[in-house]
Amino acid sequence: MLLIGRRPTRTCSTFDRRAFLQVGASSVLGLSLADLLRARAAGAEAGGRAKAVILLWLWGGPSQLDTFDPKPHARLEYRGPFGTIPTRIPGVRFCELFPQLAQQTDKLSVIRTLTTPSNDHGIAGTVGLTGSAAGGTGLDGKPLAGAPRPALGSVVAKALAGAKHRSAVHPFFVVGGKLHQGKKAIIGEGGGPLGAVWDPFRLEYDPVSGTKVPALQLPKELTPERMGDRQQLLAALGAADRRATDLGAAGALDAYRGRALEMLTSARAAEGFDLSKETDATRDAYGRTRFGQSCLLARRLVEAGVPFVQVNWSDHVEAEEDSGDGGWDHHYRNFQIMQDRHAPWLDQAMSALLTELHDRRMLESTLVLAVGEFGRDPRINDKAGRDHWPGCYSALVAGGGVRGGRFVGTSDARAAKPADTPLSPVDLNATVLNQIGLTSEQLTGLGLAPVGRVIEELL
């Protein structure tokens, strides 16, 4: 355990009584980060088109009919109250709530025939994040057989963390809290068999307080009041930063541990998380919502050299009215919530992200996905909502060598099942790994059996 501040350290006595930050050995930011940096320096590079991936994880399961696979000719109890609008893809229409994304379809492709094996958020979430249900835990709390595979982000981070992709920051970030349903954590957000060194570094964005870094927050017993006023607190951080630099120069610290410590203490690293560096116009373009600003933060992280950024729409699957924090699990009031919040927030934020990546000439090397763990029942229930539906759902994919202006798969007349080209999140993950240049042999070398097929129709 590395302690920087007013507590004894077990790893380097030079730092005793100096820190207010605490990092456990199992954390990606303690000695594990030092191991990570060492691994990155020695790692082999992948050679694909995509050099970074942004996953917009729409936790809770958006309705395919009320987003990107509307069925205007279905009966009202299936199609819902919303109209449809044309996109730039001939013959493809979106729900009318997504006018900006409809104009971005020259940059993106649409998958309409994803299926997944479970209608439980926990199991389907594990499949979506890892490409396997192994080890997944549903609402009943009973884990499925097998050891969980690593998160897609962990695999991409390890594959892309070679010399060409070095930066002063961790290679896998999650913007948002830990995913859960019914206060049960979802399996599959970490490194799994690859090791905790490939777990994500987590940021959280709050519209009131801004970007928060949970790993860098003070332990409860080390409050600013106990350490003195804020100036003393900042002075302590600065002293730790200068001391790390001095020790590194003197050769007293391993170079990798020095870099790990620098990430913890350097104001320069913190600037990468600081959205106040962006103009008001840019921040407004993404929308002043948690999701919108999180997407902007994802763009900043990719610019800083992070290979994989996952933006969690919410922590909990449920809507705010149902004791959640705004997820897509709309068993109730689906159409009201879609019209008032979810659709305009997603439409604005993802459109701004694609526009900025394109204008900054980053889209060709950055693969962007927007997908949830499953879809919603085509039949509207008696609460003006839609229930879970694993049989057919949609995803948007852009950049990273994926050709824009395409759609893959056609669902049946009610968007209940694929009429052709059935695909799975396993195939989607395989496509991501293909685009970063990770071969079957390399996957096998990581101890991961290759699964799924590359969705060639996107390429």
Side-chain angles (χ1 to χ4, degrees):
M1 179 176 293
L2 175 62
L3 298 171
I4 311 170
R6 293 187 176 181
R7 293 180 175 182
T9 174
R10 300 179 192 170
T11 57
C12 181
S13 59
T14 312
F15 281 93
D16 58 356
R17 307 183 64 78
R18 274 200 177 272
F20 56 92
L21 300 177
Q22 176 177 344
V23 183
S26 62
S27 166
V28 298
L29 283 179
L31 299 182
S32 297
L33 179 60
D35 296 336
L36 159 68
L37 297 173
R38 183 179 291 103
R40 289 178 64 179
E45 292 190 51
R49 295 283 297 276
K51 304 305 178 186
V53 180
I54 297 176
L55 170 60
L56 307 181
W57 183 246
L58 307 181
W59 186 224
S63 164
Q64 65 277 19
L65 289 98
D66 304 313
T67 54
F68 311 118
D69 192 11
K71 298 296 180 180
H73 303 299
R75 299 204 318 246
L76 182 61
E77 61 263 36
Y78 294 95
R79 73 172 185 265
F82 303 130
T84 68
I85 54 176
T87 70
R88 294 189 175 187
I89 305 174
V92 173
R93 300 179 75 84
F94 281 0
C95 171
E96 64 178 333
L97 301 180
F98 296 90
Q100 295 184 66
L101 282 173
Q103 294 303 308
Q104 295 275 5
T105 48
D106 58 325
K107 302 183 184 70
L108 60 82
S109 289
V110 187
I111 302 173
R112 286 178 159 175
T113 52
L114 287 172
T115 67
T116 193
S118 176
N119 68 351
D120 186 295
H121 293 289
I123 304 300
T126 298
V127 175
L129 293 172
T130 70
S132 171
T137 302
L139 193 59
D140 61 6
K142 299 177 180 178
L144 297 183
R149 285 173 67 97
L152 177 64
S154 299
V155 179
V156 171
K158 186 173 178 63
L160 293 185
K164 189 174 180 180
H165 301 277
R166 282 185 202 163
S167 72
V169 291
H170 190 60
F172 176 18
F173 273 68
V174 169
V175 184
K178 293 183 179 181
L179 300 172
H180 64 96
Q181 66 163 332
K183 298 184 179 180
K184 292 181 174 63
I186 303 308
I187 304 300
E189 281 201 280
L194 297 181
V197 71
W198 301 107
D199 284 353
F201 178 49
R202 197 175 298 274
L203 301 178
E204 296 179 11
Y205 181 83
D206 181 86
V208 176
S209 57
T211 304
K212 297 186 292 185
V213 187
L216 303 187
Q217 290 177 344
L218 294 177
K220 292 181 180 179
E221 65 271 24
L222 288 182
T223 63
E225 290 78 13
R226 288 188 61 183
M227 292 192 66
D229 61 25
R230 182 162 180 79
Q231 291 304 315
Q232 290 177 310
L233 190 62
L234 294 175
L237 180 57
D241 189 14
R242 289 191 298 273
R243 185 61 173 163
T245 303
D246 294 343
L247 287 170
L253 283 179
D254 175 280
Y256 298 98
R257 288 194 174 107
R259 288 179 63 190
L261 184 61
E262 182 179 0
M263 179 177 167
L264 289 174
T265 61
S266 174
R268 294 189 300 274
E271 285 183 359
F273 314 146
D274 187 0
L275 293 185
S276 68
K277 304 296 182 183
E278 299 289 340
T279 66
D280 284 342
T282 297
R283 298 191 67 181
D284 290 342
Y286 281 81
R288 299 284 182 145
T289 63
R290 177 179 58 192
F291 182 73
Q293 298 303 288
S294 295
C295 288
L296 175 53
L297 188 55
R299 189 266 289 163
R300 288 181 63 86
L301 290 169
V302 167
E303 280 187 309
V306 178
F308 197 102
V309 182
Q310 175 178 319
V311 177
N312 289 343
W313 177 278
S314 60
D315 305 352
H316 198 287
V317 295
E318 301 288 355
E320 291 165 332
E321 295 90 340
D322 302 315
S323 302
D325 64 346
W328 289 83
D329 195 23
H330 297 166
H331 294 279
Y332 318 96
R333 302 174 303 283
N334 171 68
F335 307 103
Q336 174 192 337
I337 296 171
M338 284 292 297
Q339 179 173 281
D340 293 347
R341 290 202 303 260
H342 283 51
W345 291 358
L346 175 59
D347 188 49
Q348 181 176 7
M350 187 172 181
S351 295
L353 177 62
L354 294 179
T355 297
E356 276 221 299
L357 291 174
H358 177 268
D359 292 348
R360 292 167 181 259
R361 299 183 179 179
M362 297 169 59
L363 187 58
E364 183 62 24
S365 61
T366 305
L367 184 60
V368 182
L369 301 91
V371 65
E373 69 273 29
F374 46 51
R376 311 304 299 185
D377 193 328
R379 183 183 287 274
I380 301 167
N381 64 27
D382 59 0
K383 304 176 184 67
R386 297 186 188 269
D387 299 321
H388 301 180
W389 192 259
C392 193
Y393 63 111
S394 302
L396 301 183
V397 189
V402 169
R403 295 184 63 178
R406 292 187 171 193
F407 78 97
V408 179
T410 302
S411 63
D412 67 8
R414 296 175 179 173
K417 61 183 180 179
D420 59 47
T421 324
L423 297 166
S424 75
V426 182
D427 301 322
L428 190 57
N429 286 8
T431 305
V432 172
L433 298 179
N434 177 77
Q435 290 309 100
I436 68 165
L438 195 60
T439 66
S440 297
E441 291 77 10
Q442 289 170 319
L443 273 172
T444 303
L446 294 175
L448 303 173
V451 292
R453 80 163 179 95
V454 175
I455 305 173
E456 299 287 351
E457 297 90 335
L458 291 172
L459 309 179

